[in-house]
Amino acid sequence: MGNEISALNGLEIEEKSVEITDFWTHYTARSKEHGTQVVSLFVSEPSLHYSGNFGNPSPLEKAAKNLMLYRHPCILKYVSSWSKGSKFYLTTEQVKPLIQTLETQNTLQICMGLYSILRALVFLHEKASASHNNICGSVIYVTSEGCWKLGGLECLSKFKELTPAYLKKIKNYRYEKAISPDEGTTILSTSFTAIDAYAFGVLAEDILKLKHSEDVPSLLAFKQFCKEDLQNTDPCLRSNLSSVLRHPFFTHDFMRIHAFLEELPLKSNQEKEIFFGNLIVQLRTFPENIVAEQLGRLLLSRMVLLDSTAQEKLLPFILKPRDGKDNVDNNLFVVSTFKAYLVPKLLQMFCIRDVSIRLVLLSHFNSYVHTFQADELKSRVLPELLVGIKDTNDHLVSATLRALADIVPILGAATVIGGNRGKLFTDGRPNKVKDNGQNNNTISSFINIVEFPAPTSSSQNIINLPERPSPDGGEDKKEIVSSITEEEYTWSDWDTQETVTRDTCLNVSEPSDRTRESDDISTVKSSSLIDTNPVLDPNKAKITESKFTKKSIVLCDISELDIKNSKLANSTKEEYDFFTDMEPVIKKTQVLHVQQPQIASKSVFDIKVLTDFDVSEENDGWDEDLSDWGINDAQELKI
């Protein structure tokens, strides 16, 4: 094994063992070397090393060497192995013995499991030129995804090493029922594959003896085949295992789909288009929990996700679970099935930093985001998304930001973008108006609806307001006190507009006399602008100063924008109004009324009286000119 042996760092072993055999003790462990990885740990004690016929290396060491050498999707995956003191350690992918899960397996699952074991044996026979020599239930393991894996390679040997002496040496460590009669004298002279063929027939017969024929097509025929063909006393009459793969028990539609997905890299583009075009219709004919458990890994494989036909005709129905209310034909899995079988795979896939895979996952993210638990989103999905927004790929960043928006309603904005936030925007909608005594919660809550009643002569609906001040100023400050409802919101262009313009909100009557100091104005029934209840005396009107709402400002450098670590500097600092002392004081223009002299004249040449207010004090030049006309200084001019 040499350099291949390496101990896993930070290995945490569970106290309770999974199984104990004559060769090793099986534990479940967690490795922190590459994140948190759950593995199966096999520990061989010195007392378990059979020093008899098996010799050295120990069974576990030989099994580890063969697992490292013979790699196949249907063979137990090797992770690491090492020696420490007198113990030997082997870690593989997380698995459980078949005998612990067999009772929960249905006929279709067993069919697929036997098919996987059969493929592993064909690989050993045809590609590796080796024989397993110990096919039985105790060497088969089941992954968390429900896949059967072939293990127990401690008895494996090359064809050239498969001698009667070797079979006699390992006979005590093999499953006795799976050993054919007269093995050493007849088998070696005919075919080396006959040993595993006989053992596989015994295995299939034992597992399927309690299963019914209506569950899977050709089940009864396959049982008979295992008994009469694979367990034939004459080794020459036993079929090769590669031909067993073509038995009708392994060639029904579900197995055909499984086989095609397993061999997808070998298929042509035209074959893929035909396959994925009809796949969703075929999958609906099988129980969805079986499809999710047995095909979930293959349906979410890299080759499927990157296939253009699959992206269009398969993935939209796979990655969008139905809630039970939709039509059954719309999507393949219900939410409960999706959570149980597909969510664990999606969580693993979000750790893959491949832009093509990530974009496919994000394109359907809003369809399945609700199937994650809150802690899964927070601890596993969100950190990976935050990595995506820092990538140089603009398309990836755009899709990631959309996904973050879908997480906000579930985790809250404080979790997604950080907790240093403030109320920087306010609700700018007017108060809801009442319609027939009830609040309108639909359209009127979004639209400012103001009624303008026709002016009436009723004293209850009349408010006397002073004439609008002139921009030239004046002497008296007489304005009516109006009750303005203070809104929570203040728009930027409404900061200084506390009063309503005449043209839009108030019906103002034209003044009939210049001596009148106020106009009669109809009241406006608007719950958000003017209060119609106060009774005001126009003769005792007072001036109220405009109240300006102070705004909170945010000082933020956009170049330092970070979705997770954004800092809102001085977010609560109130803006100082530097123009407070510069506000103009606008006074009403004083109108001075002068009594005209009572002179009866109907001539158009009458000249108005020049009063002391109209004659300038500095008029020395005119005095000299008037003397030339023979008019005294104090006389009135008459014609």
Side-chain angles (χ1 to χ4, degrees), residues 53 106 126 188 213 222 271 309 348 360 471 605 618:
N53 294 332
N106 56 34
E126 298 183 357
L188 299 182
S213 58
F222 182 72
E271 290 175 328
T309 307
Q348 296 175 358
V360 173
F605 298 102
E618 299 177 359

Side-chain angles (χ1 to χ4, degrees), residues 483-499:
S483 298
I484 306 298
T485 303
E486 296 183 358
E487 301 290 343
E488 293 181 356
Y489 57 87
T490 302
W491 291 5
S492 61
D493 56 344
W494 285 10
D495 290 344
T496 58
Q497 298 180 8
E498 294 282 346
T499 59

